[in-house]
Amino acid sequence: MNDLDPRVAAVDRRLAEARRVLAVTGGKGGIGKSMVASTLALILARRGLRAGLLDLDLTSPTDHVILGLGDRFLTEEFGVEPPVVADVHLMSVSFLVGDRPAPLRGDDITNATLEILAITHWQKLDVLVIDMPPGLGDATLDVVRLIRRAEYLVVANRSRVVRETVRRTARFLRELKVPVVGMIENMARGESGTVQAMADEFELPLLGSLPWDETVEEAVGDPGALAETPFAAALGRIAGDLFETGSADSR
Ligand SMILES: Nc1ncnc2c1ncn2[C@@H]1O[C@H](COP(=O)(O)OP(=O)(O)OP(=O)(O)O)[C@@H](O)[C@H]1O
Ligand SMILES: [Mg+2]
């Protein structure tokens, strides 16, 4: 990426009106980053905040599926307005590539990230939630570099396999010296001591635990139902602390 690329300056302008940018990360695929990011944006919108959600999973974007927005194909000439679903302003790579597989590599990844950040007109936002791609590859580095104001939220789990990746993510974020608001345990069953110990190891607060919740899967595509799940209730308490919105929905 070249800082002289006019799109780099455009990204700053596009995001200037977002009060906070929170990137949901966690390394391991399938840990629930998309579910956490989408539900968090939904909860905040229901509490009356102007919430944006940016799905930056360049290979398999899913937030539009979770929030039940049918297929869109946006074309842009001077930028695009994100479609609104359940009061969430949602932008997704899928709106640009459709359901074609998008096996991007190298510079293409940076270009796609840069392009989507540069063309999206968010207007005023209280918060922009970013669903980060799995892994610590170029796409993650691009976000760190392009969105200097981003804060990071690490989704974790006590599974040994997940822990290994989460540690790697936490170390990576620490090396990059970016602000991390804390860890969240997802798909929690039973004790949280293991995740607490991992959070302590990185001197991060454990913001809370989201239960393993069968009803989440049934609520995919139905924001009203999703907001009523025990998973959303637990996430709502964390959102209240992070965004000082209390815990009650405004509608
Ligand atoms: N707390 C939970 N209880 C039950 N199911 C959950 C929970 N959180 C997420 N899921 C389910 O787990 C699956 C994976 O979640 P999700 O797609 O959000 O993970 P991800 O980290 O974004 O994965 P990827 O890295 O592949 O994008 C989904 O089917 C989702 O519905
Ligand atoms: Mg995902």
Side-chain angles (χ1 to χ4, degrees):
M1 191 191 318
N2 178 344
D3 281 344
L4 295 177
D5 186 321
R7 291 176 300 179
V8 174
V11 173
D12 276 344
R13 282 200 304 278
R14 293 285 190 229
L15 294 175
E17 289 191 279
R19 274 179 43 215
R20 284 179 76 179
V21 180
L22 185 69
V24 178
T25 181
K28 195 75 191 159
I31 180 94
K33 294 179 296 296
S34 299
M35 194 52 81
V36 168
S38 303
T39 310
L40 183 60
L42 174 66
I43 292 168
L44 294 172
R46 286 169 70 98
R47 289 185 187 168
L49 267 62
R50 197 173 144 106
L53 175 62
L54 174 61
D55 192 344
L56 271 188
D57 190 333
L58 298 177
T59 41
S60 44
T62 52
D63 294 357
H64 62 298
V65 178
I66 294 174
L67 293 184
L69 187 70
D71 285 339
R72 292 286 156 112
F73 196 76
L74 302 176
T75 50
E76 57 109 8
E77 199 170 344
F78 302 107
V80 293
E81 301 276 334
V84 180
V85 54
D87 291 327
V88 174
H89 300 255
L90 170 65
M91 189 61 189
S92 167
V93 201
S94 78
F95 302 158
L96 304 178
V97 298
D99 56 8
R100 285 189 317 240
L104 301 178
R105 297 194 317 200
D107 283 354
D108 289 346
I109 294 180
T110 298
N111 265 321
T113 309
L114 194 47
E115 188 70 19
I116 198 163
L117 285 167
I119 65 173
T120 310
H121 287 251
W122 295 102
Q123 324 258 341
K124 265 195 188 340
L125 289 179
D126 292 306
V127 56
L128 174 63
V129 180
I130 302 184
D131 182 3
M132 296 287 280
L136 301 174
D138 289 352
T140 306
L141 278 171
D142 287 340
V143 171
V144 171
R145 218 181 127 198
L146 281 166
I147 312 180
R148 296 188 191 96
R149 289 189 303 121
E151 305 165 83
Y152 294 78
L153 175 66
V154 179
V155 182
N157 184 270
R158 74 178 152 125
S159 137
R160 275 175 67 184
V161 184
V162 173
R163 252 151 56 205
E164 203 39 52
T165 332
V166 167
R167 274 211 178 82
R168 208 179 286 275
T169 306
R171 234 175 266 133
F172 180 71
L173 295 173
R174 191 166 62 186
E175 275 166 22
L176 292 169
K177 297 191 171 58
V178 296
V180 181
V181 294
M183 247 180 220
I184 291 186
E185 180 183 21
N186 188 29
M187 304 180 182
R189 305 182 203 231
E191 59 88 24
S192 296
T194 315
V195 178
Q196 180 71 63
M198 189 164 56
D200 292 347
E201 186 186 327
F202 290 95
E203 295 173 348
L204 294 174
L206 178 61
L207 303 172
S209 277
L210 309 174
W212 169 261
D213 179 357
E214 300 281 347
T215 63
V216 159
E217 190 53 45
E218 290 150 37
V220 165
D222 181 349
L226 186 58
E228 297 302 323
T229 58
F231 168 83
L235 186 54
R237 288 189 283 277
I238 298 171
D241 293 342
L242 273 178
F243 295 94
E244 291 167 9
T245 58
S247 59
D249 285 353
S250 68
R251 69 190 78 167

